[in-house]
Amino acid sequence: MKETTERKKTKITLEDLLQIKRAERPSPDFWPHFERELRAKQLAAIVETRPWWRLVVARKFLVRWCVPLGAAAMVAMVFGSFRGVRVPSSCAPIAGEQVALPEPLTTARAEAFVSAVQGRSTVVNHAGSFESLVQADGSASCSAVDLAQSADHHAVNATTQDAELIAVSANPVDPSLAQVIGTAGIEVSLGADPVAAVEPLNEVTPPHDSRRSRLLAYSVSFDPHAANSSDAVRSRERITHRLSDDSVYDSIARLALSANRVSIKF
Amino acid sequence: MDVGSKALPKTLVASPERQYEADSDRMIVQRVQAGEVAAFDALILKYRERVYGMIYHMTSNREDAADLTQDAFIKAFQSIHRFQAQSSFFTWLYRIAVNSTLTHLRKARLRTFFSFEKITDEDKTAELVNQLTESKGADRDLFLCELQEKLNEAMMKLSIKHRTVVTLFEIEGLSHEEIAEVTQCSVGTVRSRLHYAKQLLQAELQRYMNP
């Protein structure tokens, strides 16, 4: 310090000037504020921060891609589950009823079936008029049951053939078979190529169409050898007027046919 | 204790005082690494003014210097577990502070705002200022302001690398070896940069030096 006081008119060097810069210092009240800010930053640094790449992924990927991907996954699941419910075309696609053909239906068997139906119609005549049976309970199912119970082996065979008739009427059949069945006056719904895959929902027709036609096929009494077929037409018309759609549908719903038996639900 | 006001001796190699300082720091660091987090406060109190002064002389902005000093200590605290005592804690901390400041200066290259600290009226400085004032015949306070502004302008005209070595050697009093360790370059590079920076500063501050 004595040296500095004795220092007079000496050269001022660059180092001396830089000493002046060294004398630049903050005021004493600067450091408490500095410590408070440092503590706050230390506490903020303790909080774990996500890496930058995760922020990018979260913002861009999740927002942009996850929602569409999730929606696509949901749609794929829905379609996958929907396709799994598909019913094979070989089974009888009757809503609420599934009657499997015991064996493939050929032309010979169709002819046998026709003859059985003819025999059944005889049984119907013997059991009483069909009209009385229908009017008694208002449903055609009883007529079918009565046929099954009161008939002889012809009726039993007819029941078996009934199952085939249901399958035939519901399934697409060969045109040759359709011609054989058609000569007996039985309504048969021809479908498309049986080999082709058909959606079961598309084959379902309104109850009042297919079920009524099948019931009429059961109930109509006809004789192919009769010269006049107007009786069959009149009977069919009479039945059509008397039967309502609900009763027809209800009768079909109650009636269940298997290979060799008929069950009815009350 | 105002550590910053104590002018460290300028030596080419590390002095015994520095060696003693390094040993004491190593013990504190070991305590912090063992889990005694509060021991790090002792290191903050010991080096905060020197780190702040270095960063201020490199940036000539007190607000930026305060933020960068805080960031340097936080980075040092977060990476204290990686300190392996291969160098002294002092040089390791300075290296963190210098790198943070260099990154800041590169980002804010086009933005130069001066925010000066007051020049403390120390004995050495006061004598020198009086001498300069008398020689120029100017008002002391006005002359001091002018001189401070001129000094900082001359420093900011240097490149970042040259400004760093001038600050560490002439103002902070580090040795050439210590500067080489902080800036991660050779001692010869430190010397050449220091020589070139002094030539530029002399050209800028010629009118304030006696012929």
Side-chain angles (χ1 to χ4, degrees), chain B residues 9-209:
Chain B
K10 292 184 292 184
T11 58
L12 298 178
V13 295
S15 61
E17 290 83 5
R18 285 242 200 270
Q19 191 63 36
Y20 176 77
E21 187 180 63
D23 293 336
S24 63
D25 292 341
R26 195 173 295 114
M27 293 175 59
I28 298 175
V29 170
Q30 288 175 354
R31 288 165 55 192
V32 175
Q33 289 175 341
E36 191 178 343
V37 179
F40 192 78
D41 292 342
L43 296 173
I44 294 176
L45 288 174
K46 186 176 181 181
Y47 291 112
R48 67 181 185 183
E49 293 184 12
R50 289 164 65 178
V51 173
Y52 174 82
M54 180 196 68
I55 297 174
Y56 168 75
H57 294 128
M58 290 179 65
T59 60
S60 296
N61 189 303
R62 55 187 299 182
E63 286 78 19
D64 291 343
D67 293 337
L68 291 170
T69 304
Q70 292 162 359
D71 294 341
F73 279 111
I74 290 173
K75 289 179 182 177
F77 178 74
Q78 288 178 336
S79 57
I80 192 73
H81 61 282
R82 291 200 293 262
F83 178 71
Q84 297 177 354
Q86 294 178 354
S87 61
S88 64
F89 176 80
F90 169 75
T91 52
W92 182 73
L93 178 62
Y94 262 53
R95 190 186 310 161
I96 294 173
V98 167
N99 290 335
S100 299
T101 306
L102 293 178
T103 304
H104 169 76
L105 289 173
R106 291 192 183 101
K107 288 182 180 179
R109 189 174 300 175
L110 298 178
R111 181 172 57 89
T112 304
F113 297 109
F114 290 152
S115 178
F116 300 138
E117 293 283 4
K118 288 184 178 180
I119 296 176
T120 56
D121 198 7
E122 298 176 347
D123 294 339
K124 268 189 175 180
T125 309
E127 182 65 25
L128 185 60
V129 171
N130 290 334
Q131 184 179 353
L132 286 168
T133 305
E134 289 175 1
S135 64
K136 299 299 178 184
D139 183 70
R140 187 175 187 280
D141 294 335
L142 290 175
F143 179 78
L144 198 60
C145 291
E146 178 188 343
L147 180 62
Q148 184 181 20
E149 185 176 347
K150 196 64 180 178
L151 280 172
N152 284 279
E153 284 181 1
M155 287 289 287
M156 294 306 292
K157 286 183 179 180
L158 297 175
S159 68
I160 297 174
K161 296 178 181 178
H162 292 97
R163 198 186 318 155
T164 302
V165 295
V166 169
T167 300
L168 292 175
F169 185 78
E170 293 292 342
I171 301 175
E172 296 298 318
L174 270 66
S175 64
H176 289 183
E177 286 73 16
E178 290 173 335
I179 294 173
E181 189 175 354
V182 170
T183 57
Q184 295 184 324
C185 61
S186 63
V187 177
T189 303
V190 173
R191 290 173 182 169
S192 65
R193 288 178 182 173
L194 194 60
H195 176 73
Y196 179 77
K198 281 185 176 180
Q199 286 183 336
L200 292 178
L201 287 174
Q202 281 181 350
E204 288 291 326
L205 301 172
Q206 187 62 40
R207 60 183 291 260
Y208 295 99
M209 293 183 293

